[in-house]
Amino acid sequence: MIDVLVIGAGLSGLMTAYTAAQAGPLSVKVIAKGLGALHWGAGTVDLFGYSPTDHSRPIQRPLDFIGGWLAEEQPQHPYSILGVERVSAALAAFTALTAEVGLPYQGARTTGDNLLLPTAVGSARPTFLAPQAQIGGDLSREEPMLIVGFTGLRDFYPELVAENLSKLGHQARAAFLPLDLLTGRKDSNTVQQAQGMDDHIRRAGLAAALKKLARPGERVGLPPILGLNDHAAAWADVQAQLGAPVFEIPTLPPSVPGMRLFVALRDKLRQMGVRVEIGMEASSAAAASANGAAGHVEWVQSETSARPLKHYALNFVLATGGIMGGGFDSDHTGRVWEIVFDLPLTTPQQRSKWFRPAFVNPEGHPVYTGGVETDEHLQPVDRDGKLIYENLWVVGDLLANDNPLLQRSLEGAAVATGHAAGLLLARRQR
Amino acid sequence: MKRLDTEILVVGGGATGTGVAWDASLRGFQVVLVEKRDLTHGTTGRYHGLLHSGGRYVVKDPVSATECIHENRILRKTHTHCIEDTSGFFVVTPEDEGEYPDKFVEGCAKTGVDCSEISLAAALRREPLLNPRVSRVFEVPDGSADSFLATHATAQAARQAGARILNYHEVIDLIIEGGGGPRVVGARVRDVVRDEEIEIRAAMVINATGAWANKITGMAGITISVVPGKGTMVAMSHRLTNTVLNRCKKPADGDIIVPVHTVAIIGTTDERVTDPENLRIEPWEVQLMLDEGERLIPGISKARVVRAWAGVRPLYQEDYAGASREATRQFALLDHKTRHNVAGFLTITGGKWTTFRLMAEKTVDKACEQLGTRKPCVTAETHVPGVEQGHYWLGHRLHEIEEDHLQGQLVCECELITRPMLEGAARQNPTLTLDDLRRDVRLGMGPCQGGWCTYRAVGIIHELGKAGVWSGEAGEQTAEAAEWAVAYAHSPKRHPGGVKASTDGAGAIPVLFNPNLLLHDFLQERWKGVTPILWGPQLKQERLDEMIYLCLLNVDHLPESALASPLTDFYLYDSTPNENLEAPK
């Protein structure tokens, strides 16, 4: 029997699997219905961008914030449950892992600061770690920016980016290149365009075209098209041939930066002997419990096209995501439930209590703040704080008492809780 | 103050108002139409899209039924491309037994509504999701109509006949002169976009503001008995039926499902309200639509709901105080000279989309009578631009995109909108918010509710602005370009090449397109319409949209976030579900 079954292949699940397999070493398997939220996001690690008390300005030093205000005011927040040391350790482990797999992530020039990176509408987004191809957009730097789009590319508007960046006080201008520099396909999105840049002849063509546009001293911002499978070389080549810093600005899903990270982590897990099986939707579980004690999960069942399949393991990690990832479902009566174990949730079970009036609401919508409550070991507890299953861990967006999209903490919480759970599992099995 | 002189001033840019402008200009009148927002912003743009056969009224309201079938036949010719020939079923579910079906058949015969009974097996072959427990099925010539397109096409036909259509022009007051009894001689109008006042003088003012009619008559000290009757509708994310499905019973809440474009709409409730403007959708109304929809299509309430909205019927009934469902659906033409001794002023209200042309005809007949001229109505024999495309069909856009390999130009994968379609709409029709473009090309109306296309549309419009499309040097339009304005709005293939912006209205459209404002307004507009139905997969979708706009694009921290458009407050109206789960007794 394997040591750990991880359900969910998003960042939290992959991070748990990696840590458990590495630190144990434990035998681990990952099953998931589909690909996680990495394919939708910016491919960065947002740690904490905006404080619940002041949504207007980004937090400058998120770890200080987590160890200070948050620990004090929101002791039930997932970061507070872990404590700032475990969060820091997780970020260090993630940084080392990405370097090892050839997709190095970096932070701000001043260690511990949030980065501010340009978005595809030209706003400045706070994030903590970014792949090196995005670091060149660091808005604490003074170099003027040339934002280059491609005529007919529907997911990137360089004039809009440059105009808003200028309004925010950054020097930026826009330019266009023809789309056929990237791909010959008529119906391409950034994924196929990035694939086009895996070809070194095409990227030489792009570099030559950029060279005609860029002025001395400028750095060049592009949509995320610098290679998919051969990204590191594509980015380095274009930068070297152009002779100026080049950076990517993430745009609409499917997320090229997120896919690169997913593939790098999945391949690493495979090398370590961890199977990642996509297309396995966990739908139910069986547990035994002896009078009043915490239950013991025996197996999780997945639905496949052929037949239901029972997955046995000593330990189980639930990383199915929240409402967005599909770990929670809901209906018109206001019921919100966790789909595999039907774990108790703090989410209000009345639709009239789910939302606030405005789409962008600095207080956040209560339906998104709810989730699974755990003890300090990330094991789910019931309303009385009693352990429910002695061999089940919960990580990522399922956790209660945060609003990761509003606070910009989605990936940070995934990395931190995934890493912590992996270490706890390793310690337990040893 | 700017001043305009005309013969007829029409107030209201819905189906009726544009119909009046079209009819009157074809009869040779000088016409100006003013609408306080975008065309179809009121009731016309918020109905379920049924082209009535008249079947719904054959028992209760035979006059309306006769009008409907008459107009149904005409509109299929004059507005062909705005109509899908879906046909319609009236089905007898186990809850609908009794004498009604026989009365229905009899009523159809009396009112001239074509009706034939078909076998249940035949009905199920055509609509496999139809409740198999229905006992009888009658087929009638119902259709589904694109009321946005039809109104734009009517307005375009009016423009071609010489009318001026001024949207975002709000009437502030009527100008009334005395001497031999009061007479309305025009209106003071505010150009909402440029924030300036215009005085429009006219020999006749026609109030075609529907449920808002009292607001205009009130300016002349006249109160009329128009009651806004709120109807809530729910759009399912799939086209669960290709035929209009009606319950064969006395019309009631939630007894119809209309396939419109890519969705199926369950309609409607009918509640008296006091204010036609801000319509709150109650949880019980959504639930009622889904529960009633179950009787026509079992399982429908488990399907994904994409959006909910409400419109207001203008119900006119003198001295009537009963339930709004019971009020007649006939239209009312009020001559304020004979009724209230105020000359130069007509109100046309009541009625329904299907009868808008007839309403316009009767209104302009009356205007002719009072203005001392008599020219015959020709709208029944006149086509609006674009009819040669034939009836709308669901595969229309996909077919053109595949035929012409336009996949790379798609800016909305849900509704198959190409970039040239969007640009054409933005160039041709004064666009204040992305909501206006939504009405033109169905932007943001698919399952993701603007998740992808909002960003793309903002980027594209911003690029158009940068290219100077609205710089004020629009120049002369070619006749072809002018015709395009709406006729082919739904055709990915036929879009204008290098057409300048429309200069209709008072001068070129000002550049008030702040991209950040467009973005905020539209995200909030979409949010307003989805919150009443957010659960299950649509809630998950909304969370993904939040991931895109908050985490990826950080739109809540764009510069100039304090800007507001004339519609910002309207979109901010709180539509989140309240605790009213039960219908009031």
Side-chain angles (χ1 to χ4, degrees):
Chain A
M1 195 182 301
I2 58 168
D3 294 319
V4 182
L5 180 76
V6 177
I7 307 156
L11 187 54
S12 64
L14 297 177
M15 197 64 197
T16 309
Y18 167 75
T19 310
Q22 176 76 14
L26 306 183
S27 58
V28 183
K29 185 169 82 168
V30 180
I31 62 167
K33 178 184 180 187
L35 305 162
L38 281 175
H39 285 66
W40 295 331
T44 55
V45 177
D46 294 1
L47 182 58
F48 220 109
Y50 296 98
S51 153
T53 55
D54 179 7
H55 195 67
S56 63
R57 264 168 321 193
I59 293 167
Q60 197 188 339
R61 297 187 63 78
L63 283 169
D64 294 351
F65 178 82
I66 289 167
W69 187 90
L70 195 70
E72 193 72 27
E73 300 293 327
Q74 295 192 357
Q76 299 305 313
H77 193 286
Y79 285 143
S80 302
I81 289 174
L82 296 179
V84 69
E85 289 76 20
R86 285 203 279 178
V87 176
S88 295
L91 295 166
F94 177 82
T95 309
L97 169 61
T98 55
E100 190 191 329
V101 298
L103 188 66
Y105 275 57
Q106 298 171 15
R109 285 187 293 175
T110 307
T111 308
D113 274 10
N114 256 331
L115 284 157
L116 281 178
L117 297 179
T119 70
V121 283
S123 51
R125 60 182 292 266
T127 188
F128 194 69
L129 296 172
Q132 62 181 5
Q134 289 188 37
I135 292 289
D138 184 351
L139 293 173
S140 74
R141 293 183 174 274
E142 299 285 314
E143 294 94 330
M145 289 170 276
L146 169 65
I147 311 296
V148 179
F150 297 87
T151 310
L153 167 52
R154 60 191 140 183
D155 290 341
F156 194 71
Y157 296 89
E159 290 181 319
L160 182 61
V161 176
E163 185 174 296
N164 274 324
L165 285 174
S166 303
K167 284 177 186 166
L168 290 170
H170 306 286
Q171 249 189 298
R173 65 184 183 99
F176 284 94
L177 287 174
L179 189 57
D180 59 13
L181 274 175
L182 305 179
T183 174
R185 280 179 67 143
K186 274 194 166 176
D187 61 342
S188 63
N189 60 22
T190 50
V191 176
Q192 287 103 32
Q193 291 147 12
Q195 274 170 338
M197 287 296 106
D198 284 340
D199 170 5
H200 66 93
I201 297 170
R202 274 197 184 273
R203 58 199 189 223
L206 174 66
L210 289 173
K211 201 157 189 155
K212 287 184 194 150
L213 294 175
R215 295 173 188 153
E218 274 185 331
R219 46 183 168 153
V220 175
L222 294 168
I225 46 103
L226 293 170
L228 192 64
N229 300 318
D230 197 19
H231 164 61
W235 175 66
D237 277 4
V238 172
Q239 195 157 243
Q241 288 167 26
L242 173 62
V246 173
F247 62 93
E248 292 185 331
I249 301 173
T251 188
L252 296 181
S255 164
V256 170
M259 288 170 73
R260 291 178 191 137
L261 180 58
F262 174 81
V263 169
L265 296 181
R266 185 200 58 195
D267 291 353
K268 175 69 188 172
L269 287 173
R270 281 186 181 158
Q271 282 170 23
M272 297 167 78
V274 177
R275 282 167 64 185
V276 179
E277 297 179 349
I278 307 292
M280 296 260 184
E281 180 179 12
S283 55
S284 58
S289 70
N291 45 12
H296 179 89
V297 179
E298 292 181 340
W299 47 259
V300 162
Q301 184 163 285
S302 69
E303 306 288 340
T304 64
S305 56
R307 64 191 185 287
L309 209 59
K310 286 189 176 70
H311 304 264
Y312 291 87
L314 296 174
N315 301 286
F316 296 82
V317 179
L318 193 63
T320 45
I323 286 170
M324 181 171 65
F328 300 149
D329 202 353
S330 56
D331 68 18
H332 64 92
T333 65
R335 194 166 81 90
V336 183
W337 65 96
E338 187 280 307
I339 61 162
V340 184
F341 298 93
D342 199 14
L343 293 171
L345 304 182
T346 60
T347 318
Q349 302 285 317
Q350 252 173 301
R351 282 206 294 130
S352 58
K353 300 213 159 72
W354 283 4
F355 305 113
R356 297 183 202 282
F359 173 71
V360 177
N361 192 305
E363 288 177 81
H365 302 294
V367 67
Y368 301 139
T369 312
V372 179
E373 287 201 298
T374 68
D375 60 16
E376 72 272 26
H377 305 299
L378 298 175
Q379 294 202 260
V381 294
D382 64 17
R383 241 159 244 142
D384 305 323
K386 208 169 127 261
L387 190 66
I388 303 172
Y389 298 113
E390 54 87 18
N391 61 339
L392 178 65
W393 282 259
V394 176
V395 295
D397 196 19
L398 292 158
L399 295 169
N401 306 311
D402 68 344
N403 191 332
L405 300 194
L406 189 72
Q407 296 164 348
R408 318 303 205 264
S409 61
L410 184 71
E411 299 88 359
V415 166
T417 55
H419 179 73
L423 289 182
L424 287 163
L425 285 159
R427 195 180 310 151
R428 176 186 170 111
Q429 284 310 112
R430 247 188 246 132
Chain B
M1 198 190 300
K2 255 165 71 178
R3 193 178 144 150
L4 271 175
D5 286 286
T6 186
E7 285 177 284
I8 293 180
L9 171 64
V10 183
V11 184
T16 314
T18 52
V20 169
W22 178 42
D23 188 312
S25 50
L26 284 175
R27 297 201 213 190
F29 289 108
Q30 245 191 317
V31 179
V32 173
L33 179 147
V34 292
E35 157 60 45
K36 70 171 174 172
R37 291 182 176 146
D38 189 27
L39 296 182
T40 76
H41 193 276
T43 305
T44 301
R46 294 166 200 276
Y47 98 117
H48 46 43
L50 175 66
L51 173 71
H52 280 275
S53 60
R56 287 176 71 78
Y57 303 118
V58 291
V59 175
K60 193 192 78 178
D61 196 350
V63 177
S64 285
T66 311
E67 284 170 3
C68 282
I69 187 62
H70 181 248
E71 289 301 302
N72 178 308
R73 292 179 186 131
I74 292 173
L75 292 177
R76 284 168 188 265
K77 290 186 216 135
T78 60
H79 289 69
T80 316
H81 62 307
C82 311
I83 288 165
E84 181 180 354
D85 188 14
T86 59
S87 189
F89 289 162
F90 275 77
V91 302
V92 182
T93 73
E95 292 83 8
D96 307 331
E97 305 289 348
E99 293 172 356
Y100 192 89
D102 293 331
K103 281 194 197 162
F104 173 81
V105 173
E106 199 180 304
C108 285
K110 274 190 195 151
T111 52
V113 175
D114 311 308
C115 168
S116 53
E117 182 158 6
I118 64 171
S119 73
L120 176 61
L124 284 171
R125 262 198 303 280
R126 276 170 56 187
E127 294 304 340
L129 299 182
L130 176 66
N131 186 350
R133 290 163 62 234
V134 306
S135 54
R136 300 175 72 180
V137 181
F138 305 99
E139 184 166 16
V140 295
D142 281 343
S144 89
D146 184 321
S147 59
F148 308 115
L149 179 63
T151 304
H152 277 301
T154 309
Q156 183 64 14
R159 273 191 205 105
Q160 288 173 345
R164 295 187 71 178
I165 311 285
L166 306 177
N167 55 2
Y168 290 110
H169 282 65
E170 180 170 16
V171 173
I172 307 165
D173 210 352
L174 294 175
I175 305 167
I176 299 168
E177 286 178 357
R183 178 176 189 88
V184 177
V185 294
R188 286 196 298 121
V189 169
R190 195 168 73 89
D191 176 337
V192 190
V193 177
R194 293 169 196 80
D195 197 21
E196 61 187 32
E197 252 183 57
I198 307 170
E199 184 177 313
I200 303 178
R201 291 270 172 170
M204 173 70 68
V205 174
I206 296 174
N207 172 19
T209 55
W212 286 258
N214 250 318
K215 303 208 175 208
I216 301 296
T217 58
M219 295 173 183
I222 299 166
T223 305
I224 55 173
S225 37
V226 169
V227 179
K230 181 182 76 167
T232 295
M233 281 146 275
V234 169
M236 311 305 297
S237 89
H238 292 93
R239 211 168 123 118
L240 298 165
T241 171
N242 284 316
T243 308
V244 177
L245 300 180
N246 300 271
R247 297 268 294 278
C248 191
K249 61 167 192 167
K250 201 167 134 241
D253 292 349
D255 61 356
I256 183 167
I257 303 176
V258 186
V260 181
H261 291 275
T262 54
V263 301
I265 298 169
I266 314 178
T268 74
T269 55
D270 199 340
E271 294 286 305
R272 276 169 171 255
V273 290
T274 46
D275 174 18
E277 200 76 20
N278 289 314
L279 304 170
R280 182 154 194 131
I281 293 162
E282 306 280 353
W284 69 263
E285 296 178 298
V286 173
Q287 193 53 49
L288 181 65
M289 290 305 101
L290 295 175
D291 290 346
E292 290 297 313
E294 282 281 325
R295 302 182 196 278
L296 286 166
I297 296 182
I300 197 169
S301 67
K302 301 280 181 294
R304 179 164 164 179
V305 188
V306 80
R307 198 170 175 82
W309 70 94
V312 272
R313 301 172 181 84
L315 300 169
Y316 181 83
Q317 201 144 18
E318 277 173 69
D319 311 320
Y320 181 75
S324 69
R325 177 75 71 192
E326 302 300 324
T328 176
R329 300 302 312 282
Q330 288 170 40
F331 59 85
L333 173 59
L334 309 179
D335 174 6
H336 297 298
K337 187 176 163 195
T338 53
R339 286 172 171 258
H340 310 102
N341 195 31
V342 177
F345 189 32
L346 302 176
T347 290
I348 174 74
T349 187
K352 56 194 82 59
W353 184 85
T354 304
T355 57
F356 81 86
R357 193 212 58 85
L358 181 64
M359 292 162 72
E361 177 180 341
K362 299 292 179 203
T363 307
V364 181
D365 282 351
K366 179 63 87 182
C368 284
E369 188 187 307
Q370 298 206 349
L371 293 172
T373 53
R374 265 224 165 269
K375 291 176 210 166
C377 171
V378 293
T379 53
E381 300 86 42
T382 309
H383 299 165
V384 297
V387 292
E388 74 279 6
Q389 296 167 98
H391 280 311
Y392 171 87
W393 60 289
L394 181 59
H396 173 84
R397 285 188 179 182
L398 181 61
H399 175 74
E400 288 194 5
I401 284 166
E402 290 187 333
E403 286 288 294
D404 294 303
H405 302 288
L406 304 175
Q407 293 86 346
Q409 298 178 2
L410 285 177
V411 291
C412 165
E413 288 92 343
C414 300
E415 293 289 335
L416 300 175
I417 302 162
T418 63
R419 179 169 177 147
M421 282 168 78
L422 186 75
E423 288 193 357
R427 284 161 185 258
Q428 293 292 333
N429 296 316
T431 299
L432 198 61
T433 72
L434 292 186
D435 194 22
D436 298 345
L437 289 174
R438 171 184 72 83
R439 282 182 284 269
D440 293 344
V441 294
R442 299 184 64 76
L443 185 77
M445 288 174 87
C448 85
Q449 288 287 300
W452 271 253
C453 66
T454 304
Y455 168 64
R456 293 169 178 165
V458 167
I460 288 167
I461 288 174
H462 181 256
E463 282 181 7
L464 287 182
K466 282 270 180 189
V469 167
W470 296 286
S471 64
E473 295 151 18
E476 286 300 298
Q477 276 197 48
T478 62
E480 189 190 347
E483 170 152 329
W484 181 86
V486 292
Y488 308 102
H490 288 258
S491 169
K493 182 161 70 176
R494 298 183 60 167
H495 53 80
V499 182
K500 295 282 169 85
S502 161
T503 53
D504 193 38
I509 305 155
V511 185
L512 54 75
F513 303 113
N514 179 292
N516 305 341
L517 176 57
L518 288 181
L519 199 56
H520 284 153
D521 266 359
F522 199 54
L523 289 174
Q524 181 61 29
E525 192 277 337
R526 291 288 85 187
W527 170 256
K528 182 180 168 181
V530 294
T531 43
I533 52 83
L534 276 188
W535 62 75
Q538 202 62 14
L539 181 64
K540 186 177 174 182
Q541 178 78 57
E542 187 61 30
R543 191 66 169 154
L544 173 57
D545 291 354
E546 254 194 49
M547 171 121 180
I548 292 172
Y549 288 95
L550 301 186
C551 296
L552 185 66
L553 298 176
N554 205 11
V555 299
D556 47 345
H557 297 89
L558 278 167
E560 299 163 331
S561 57
L563 287 177
S565 77
L567 285 157
T568 299
D569 282 346
F570 179 77
Y571 299 143
L572 275 169
Y573 181 75
D574 181 7
S575 64
T576 56
N578 58 25
E579 284 166 5
N580 298 336
L581 299 169
E582 303 286 329
K585 295 277 184 275

